[in-house]
Amino acid sequence: MNKVTEDMRYLTFALGKGRLANKTLELLEKIGITCEEMKDKDSRKLIFVNEDLKLKFFLAKGPDVPTYVEYGAADIGVVGSDTIMEENRKVYEVLDLGFGKCRMCVCGPASAKELLQHHDMIRVASKYPKIAKDYFYNQKHQTVDIIKLNGSVELGPIVGLSDVIVDIVETGSTLKENGLEVLEEICPLSARMIVNQVSMKMEAERIKEILQALKEEL
Ligand code: PRP
């Protein structure tokens, strides 16, 4: 890593809480970026500092990561491409980190397949209303009623709230255990690194060095 000087400003990373954050920390560690403080799982602290490298890290809810990065509260963020698409923030997407691979799909009971072929007016439940709207309106040219949910979206078709769902499928076991299946695939997903547009210019050297090291590691 670049020589760190006393007057250097901190570069701040916003990481989406959970599995992605753990994977990101493992990857950063491989390129010599560590944050010991963050390894204490019992800590309720929200922000962590590596004084030697002049880096800060914080954990945020996934959908908030692009917001912190757009406003410059974080220079760099790591979040799923699903969230990047849904939030549609002004940030640079700079690197596919290759982990957190899954698919965005239209899912439902097998019997709903027909509803998708005949362009019927159907109800679609999703945590991702923008992605669902873009897929049905702009790609399939099907007018649908989109219902926003905040989780456990598979319940939608089971309890009769919606005909289908638009959701993330990783192993497929949630669908299987609930009698649902993938009806159409929208796009593949993975973890991405995003950068604030001003930071990309003002901190070009430090950020490019991190990106280069990560690319060599992937
Ligand atoms: C996600 C997604 C599916 C499940 C897919 O939910 O919404 O429900 O994981 O994974 P699988 O294909 O491996 O079964 P998450 O665990 O994030 O919780 P949520 O229901 O609160 O969105």
Side-chain angles (χ1 to χ4, degrees), residues 127 151-152 154 167-174:
K127 226 160 76 165
S152 303
E154 289 83 0
D167 200 20
I168 290 173
V169 179
E170 191 183 354
T171 60
S173 51
T174 310

Side-chain angles (χ1 to χ4, degrees), residues 14-188:
L15 309 179
K17 267 184 198 170
R19 251 181 306 171
L20 282 193
N22 294 335
K23 285 261 188 192
T24 306
L25 291 174
E26 276 172 32
L27 178 63
L28 289 174
E29 199 153 344
K30 286 187 189 160
I31 65 161
I33 294 179
T34 51
C35 191
E36 289 307 315
E37 271 193 316
M38 231 171 161
K39 290 182 182 163
D40 177 6
K41 297 283 174 251
D42 298 327
S43 171
R44 301 289 294 165
K45 243 176 116 167
L46 293 172
I47 188 140
F48 306 90
V49 187
N50 179 326
E51 292 294 350
D52 298 335
L53 296 175
K54 286 273 184 188
L55 298 173
K56 283 186 186 170
F57 301 86
F58 65 81
L59 296 173
K61 285 261 185 194
D64 293 337
V65 169
T67 313
Y68 286 111
V69 174
E70 177 180 312
Y71 284 92
D75 302 283
I76 298 173
V78 173
V79 72
S81 48
D82 49 318
T83 305
I84 297 173
M85 284 194 284
E86 185 65 26
E87 296 299 316
N88 199 25
R89 291 281 175 181
K90 288 192 202 76
V91 296
Y92 291 134
E93 189 181 318
V94 292
L95 196 59
D96 182 345
L97 296 171
F99 52 79
K101 280 197 171 140
C102 47
R103 302 175 291 155
M104 185 63 76
C105 299
V106 180
C107 312
S111 58
K113 214 174 263 176
E114 216 178 324
L115 301 173
L116 296 171
Q117 277 149 17
H118 299 139
H119 284 224
D120 289 337
M121 174 74 185
I122 54 168
R123 281 184 168 177
V124 181
S126 186
K127 226 160 76 165
Y128 302 90
K130 251 190 216 158
I131 294 175
K133 190 174 175 195
D134 179 66
Y135 180 68
F136 279 99
Y137 282 68
N138 301 331
Q139 296 190 46
K140 280 182 65 87
H141 306 290
Q142 180 171 6
T143 305
V144 296
D145 185 7
I146 292 165
I147 304 166
K148 161 91 200 256
L149 287 179
N150 292 297
S152 303
V153 180
E154 289 83 0
L155 275 172
I158 298 173
V159 301
L161 175 72
S162 68
D163 299 290
V164 295
I165 59 173
V166 164
D167 200 20
I168 290 173
V169 179
E170 191 183 354
T171 60
S173 51
T174 310
L175 290 178
K176 204 168 164 204
E177 284 183 34
N178 291 290
L180 306 173
E181 58 185 67
V182 170
L183 304 174
E184 289 176 358
E185 190 170 323
I186 301 178
C187 62

